[in-house]
Amino acid sequence: MRQKRAKTYRKLMHLYSMSFGFRQPYQILVDSEMCQIAMDAKLDLIKQFSTVLQGNVKPMITQCCMHELYLQGKVRQPAVDLAKTFERRKCNHREAIPGDECLSSVVGDANKHRYVVATQSQSLRNGLRIIPAVPVIHINRAVMVLEPPSEATLKAKELTEEQSLRPSAPELATVHKPMPKKRKGPKGPNPLSVKKKKNPNPAASARPSQKTKAESSDVPLSTTQLPGQKRKRDSQEDNREEQSVEMTDAAQSITSTRTRKRRRKAPAIPSPS
């Protein structure tokens, strides 16, 4: 195989593996006509499949395709022997049907099992191009060819890429709504640098639980001191002051008598002879 063709086949299989989940070993559905042409051209099918797909392969054949080979007689016995080496794929058909119909039913509408179809039937190849993600292989002049992706495959690839970029439903549930941005506007002064306002009516702002001096004192409201007026002395206060003065005078008199007695009792100093 030429280097340029091998590079294109590598890109094609990378597309199928990344977008549609194809994995090795690749499952290849082979029809009866492919086995006959391979024996006529003396091709090693398993080796050719691995070089074209550039990976490990697992060729498979259905019971209906095997029935077609048996109908060819002993002339196609080498093709029957080759098909017996492949893995048998159950098609669940009680009576044998044509190979094209059998392969199309096995592939289905979406190719959920990710089969690669190797066929020489032109009608089957045209029908498989409508189904997305179905690689098709055929032999042209003893050369095995991997067909380019169909339009349905390319559209399905674009859809899968768009879905992968969008967040899923559980991801959308976990995403929080963005907070609204604050609008920039004129800022007020610093509250620490602003001078406090004076209260014009201090009496009104006083707490109701706080008692005034007039309420807390035992003196009646008629005798309370008014602003700008001197406080008058009560008779009780005068009596208390007189008693305190008398007590200080008595204490001073007692101390003075004690000092006199001490002076009298002191011995006289003898005069020198």
Side-chain angles (χ1 to χ4, degrees):
M1 184 186 294
R2 294 181 180 179
Q3 188 176 2
K4 187 176 180 180
R5 185 180 295 176
K7 188 176 181 180
T8 55
Y9 290 168
R10 191 183 304 115
K11 287 182 179 180
L12 286 177
M13 295 312 299
H14 181 72
L15 182 147
Y16 287 116
S17 61
M18 294 300 293
S19 300
F20 304 105
F22 279 73
R23 295 290 181 269
Q24 296 185 25
Y26 301 115
Q27 301 180 101
I28 305 174
L29 290 175
V30 186
D31 66 344
S32 59
E33 192 174 354
M34 176 69 73
C35 296
Q36 296 176 15
I37 294 175
M39 294 307 298
D40 294 340
K42 297 181 181 180
L43 294 176
D44 188 358
L45 275 183
I46 298 175
K47 185 178 179 181
Q48 291 294 323
F49 287 150
S50 61
T51 53
V52 168
L53 301 180
Q54 299 188 7
N56 298 327
V57 295
K58 183 168 68 172
M60 308 171 76
I61 192 167
T62 61
Q63 188 64 34
C64 297
C65 294
M66 286 295 298
H67 183 72
E68 286 184 349
L69 289 175
Y70 288 135
L71 293 177
Q72 299 293 330
K74 294 183 179 179
V75 181
R76 296 297 181 182
Q77 189 61 35
V80 174
D81 296 338
L82 176 64
K84 285 181 179 179
T85 60
F86 300 158
E87 183 177 339
R88 195 67 58 89
R89 172 67 169 83
K90 292 182 180 180
C91 56
N92 297 325
H93 295 140
R94 294 182 179 180
E95 295 181 359
I97 61 174
D100 296 352
E101 296 178 5
C102 180
L103 291 179
S104 61
S105 65
V106 170
V107 171
D109 297 334
N111 193 16
K112 61 180 181 179
H113 296 291
R114 300 176 183 85
Y115 291 122
V116 180
V117 181
T119 180
Q120 292 295 115
S121 176
Q122 186 66 36
S123 61
L124 179 60
R125 284 155 56 188
N126 294 334
L128 293 175
R129 289 193 184 99
I130 303 171
I131 304 170
V134 181
V136 179
I137 298 174
H138 69 275
I139 295 175
N140 185 16
R141 297 179 183 178
V143 177
M144 192 169 289
V145 179
L146 176 63
E147 294 185 1
S150 60
E151 293 182 0
T153 303
L154 296 176
K155 288 180 181 179
K157 177 201 168 188
E158 292 177 358
L159 288 175
T160 53
E161 289 178 352
E162 289 180 1
Q163 290 177 358
S164 62
L165 293 175
R166 295 176 182 175
S168 60
E171 290 177 352
L172 288 173
T174 56
V175 173
H176 299 286
K177 294 182 179 179
M179 295 295 291
K181 293 183 179 179
K182 294 182 179 180
R183 295 182 179 179
K184 293 183 179 180
K187 296 182 180 179
N190 189 358
L192 299 175
S193 63
V194 175
K195 190 176 181 181
K196 294 182 179 180
K197 295 181 180 180
K198 293 182 179 180
N199 196 351
N201 192 3
S205 64
R207 294 179 181 177
S209 62
Q210 187 178 4
K211 294 182 179 180
T212 58
K213 292 182 178 179
E215 293 176 356
S216 61
S217 62
D218 298 332
V219 185
L221 293 171
S222 61
T223 60
T224 55
Q225 181 182 358
L226 297 174
Q229 183 180 2
K230 293 183 179 180
R231 186 174 65 86
K232 294 181 180 181
R233 291 187 176 184
D234 299 332
S235 59
Q236 293 179 1
E237 292 180 357
D238 295 338
N239 294 333
R240 289 174 185 172
E241 288 181 358
E242 289 177 359
Q243 290 178 3
S244 62
V245 170
E246 290 176 359
M247 291 176 68
T248 54
D249 293 340
Q252 287 179 0
S253 63
I254 291 169
T255 53
S256 63
T257 54
R258 286 178 181 177
T259 52
R260 288 176 185 176
K261 289 179 180 180
R262 286 176 184 174
R263 287 177 184 176
R264 289 176 185 177
K265 289 181 181 180
I269 299 172
S271 58
S273 58

